[in-house]
Amino acid sequence: GNFIPFDSFNNIKHLYKFAKENNVKWLYNEACLDHEAGTAFTFLKGYLQSKLGWKTDLDVECLEKKFFAAMYGSQKDRMYSVYKDMKAYCKRQTEEEGFPRFHGSRELFYPGRWDKDVMQSMYDRMVKAENALVANGEYKEARHVQNEQIYPLGVLVRCFRDDYTRKEHIEMLEKLRRYLFEFGFVTLGCGEIGWVPRFFEMLGIDKNKIWKK
């Protein structure tokens, strides 16, 4: 769900509050917490679940800002701004632009569903945050930002390739492929698993070259 424009962050507190008030004994929410990969701020979702699941009256914004300070160091404000804009854009897509709630990967990456300027701005701001962190010696935080770049970069590479020169597109594509491997989205063990070749084929990488060093 790393490219699906559905903002469920705001509902987490209400869900746990509802469960508590109605004496729910078991509640299971998924979150990508067992590996390094997880774009579109999915780690924040796991963090909010871990806190609100124990105490439903906590302030969500305070939790968010604490998370961003820990994850993005000196660039916490820039990344928090990106996050807020991402949520606003998701809301616009689903509530105003009719983005389908149920769809396949090809529908998801239909260019008409995305605003190139929004995604480019999101990506450019992340790159600036990464560069600032590296310059400041905050390498762990910079890597966290690299992980988040997969979301806007994936959309730009798939939907707007004709808006870039061939050189620019290849550079972006190779960066995306490298990040997908480095952060564990795709591993050598995936072999011929269905979605992997199809996903890279959509991005313009022949399946025989997916695992090429």
Side-chain angles (χ1 to χ4, degrees), residues 157-185:
V157 164
R158 173 66 181 100
C159 297
F160 302 102
R161 64 181 69 185
D162 293 336
D163 291 359
Y164 302 95
T165 65
R166 177 173 174 77
K167 181 175 181 295
E168 289 172 336
H169 180 256
I170 290 175
E171 289 176 351
M172 293 169 69
L173 187 59
E174 284 302 309
K175 183 178 184 180
L176 176 62
R177 184 173 76 99
R178 187 174 77 253
Y179 282 0
L180 288 171
F181 273 94
E182 287 182 0
F183 289 101
F185 281 95

Side-chain angles (χ1 to χ4, degrees), residues 15 148 152 189 193:
L15 172 62
E148 293 300 337
I193 291 177

Side-chain angles (χ1 to χ4, degrees), residues 3-116:
F3 298 100
I4 296 175
F6 181 68
D7 170 22
S8 60
F9 292 94
N10 290 332
N11 294 326
I12 297 174
K13 179 172 182 175
H14 301 297
L15 172 62
Y16 281 111
K17 185 176 177 61
F18 175 84
K20 179 182 178 182
E21 291 173 350
N22 289 275
N23 200 33
V24 174
K25 300 299 183 183
W26 295 96
L27 188 66
Y28 179 80
N29 280 326
E30 293 184 338
C32 299
L33 301 177
D34 58 345
H35 49 73
E36 194 176 1
T39 68
F41 300 103
T42 190
F43 286 131
L44 170 61
K45 189 168 293 184
Y47 174 74
L48 293 176
Q49 290 172 356
S50 71
K51 296 298 184 182
L52 294 168
W54 290 101
K55 193 173 183 181
T56 61
D57 61 347
L58 293 174
D59 185 277
V60 173
E61 185 174 349
C62 289
L63 290 174
E64 289 174 341
K65 290 183 176 180
K66 184 176 180 180
F67 174 89
F68 275 78
M71 286 290 283
Y72 308 112
S74 62
Q75 292 299 300
K76 62 183 186 297
D77 292 337
R78 191 195 299 270
M79 292 299 293
Y80 191 62
S81 174
V82 172
Y83 163 70
K84 300 289 278 188
D85 288 348
M86 184 195 78
K87 281 161 52 71
Y89 182 51
C90 287
K91 183 176 181 179
R92 191 179 98 194
Q93 284 178 293
T94 55
E95 296 185 6
E96 299 176 20
E97 299 176 3
F99 203 108
R101 296 299 179 94
F102 302 98
H103 44 67
S105 57
R106 293 188 183 278
E107 290 179 288
L108 179 63
F109 281 110
Y110 182 69
R113 300 288 186 192
W114 299 92
D115 186 318
K116 191 232 175 182

